[in-house]
Amino acid sequence: MEPTRAAFAAECARFTEVLAGLTDNDLGRPTDCPPWTVRELIAHTRTGVGRLADMLAAPAPSHAEVDAAGYFGAAKFTPQVDADRIAGGQRDALPVDRAALATEFDRAWRATEAAVAAAPPDRVVRTRHGDAMRLGEFLRTRVVEVGVHGLDLAAALDRSPWLTPPAAAVIAELLTGGRPTPPGLGWDRLTLIRKATGRTAVTVPERAVVDAAGFRWLSFGR
């Protein structure tokens, strides 16, 4: 689990640095995760990185039922679940002013990091969706959360992506199941992540290479 913990810490620390430099005008910008504004996307991400502290305080399920890939199943992106996710981001954004954004995000991810450090590596947790997962597997989903939404935030702010190499490695491995991308694509990890998560469209020639190679990646919504 150590590479995943390192990736989580690196990406969250970088995300916090970005938040500390935002302006009031930045917070009202639209994002490519409609109908969220930048402020609401940050609130959603803050909630996501902080979930593990409460999960580890709850009783442990007897055994794991899904891994990180299984967590991102179709049931997580039904209209009702999407509506609840959107409303949660909007609700959680209301109490926090700009000056506290970085502080609140830093507090949330560091609470998770401390809880993970104190837990047995084989600990099983239960997600808000009811999934029983090993701690390390759920932590992989948190790297996806902060890393991919960091790409959304960078796009909304008209900035270059700041995805850290440790997080990119964890996310790419999850998306591909550890398989190399077809050499004809020439994608680096950032491009793979953008394409696989729908942040950048797959071109017709790229689709032909993917189909010819029988390559498949994990797909999930925003």
Side-chain angles (χ1 to χ4, degrees), residues 37-195:
T37 62
V38 163
R39 179 192 292 276
E40 291 161 350
L41 176 62
I42 292 168
H44 167 74
T45 308
R46 182 187 72 239
T47 299
V49 301
R51 289 193 188 283
L52 256 174
D54 288 341
M55 290 164 60
L56 284 167
S62 60
H63 62 281
E65 299 167 348
V66 298
D67 59 9
Y71 174 84
F72 289 110
K76 303 300 187 303
F77 306 105
T78 63
Q80 182 57 55
V81 173
D82 275 339
D84 290 344
R85 184 183 296 116
I86 290 167
Q90 293 172 328
R91 181 184 62 250
D92 294 344
L94 294 177
V96 182
D97 64 19
R98 179 184 57 78
L101 282 176
T103 300
E104 286 295 303
F105 189 87
D106 192 64
R107 179 201 57 76
W109 82 260
R110 290 187 186 280
T112 288
E113 171 63 17
V116 170
D122 60 352
R123 175 69 148 82
V124 178
V125 296
R126 190 172 301 282
T127 75
R128 69 189 180 98
H129 300 289
D131 303 302
M133 304 177 65
R134 289 196 178 278
L135 173 58
E137 288 296 291
F138 187 72
L139 189 60
R140 292 172 79 196
T141 73
R142 300 307 86 189
V143 177
V144 173
E145 183 86 8
V146 69
V148 174
H149 281 319
L151 297 181
D152 297 327
L153 184 59
L157 296 172
D158 296 322
R159 300 188 188 183
S160 297
W162 54 76
L163 185 67
T164 61
V170 168
I171 299 168
E173 194 280 335
L174 176 58
L175 291 172
T176 65
R179 298 182 302 277
T181 56
L185 292 174
W187 292 349
D188 58 14
R189 283 173 174 159
L190 176 59
T191 302
L192 165 68
I193 293 165
R194 282 173 150 172
K195 300 277 186 180

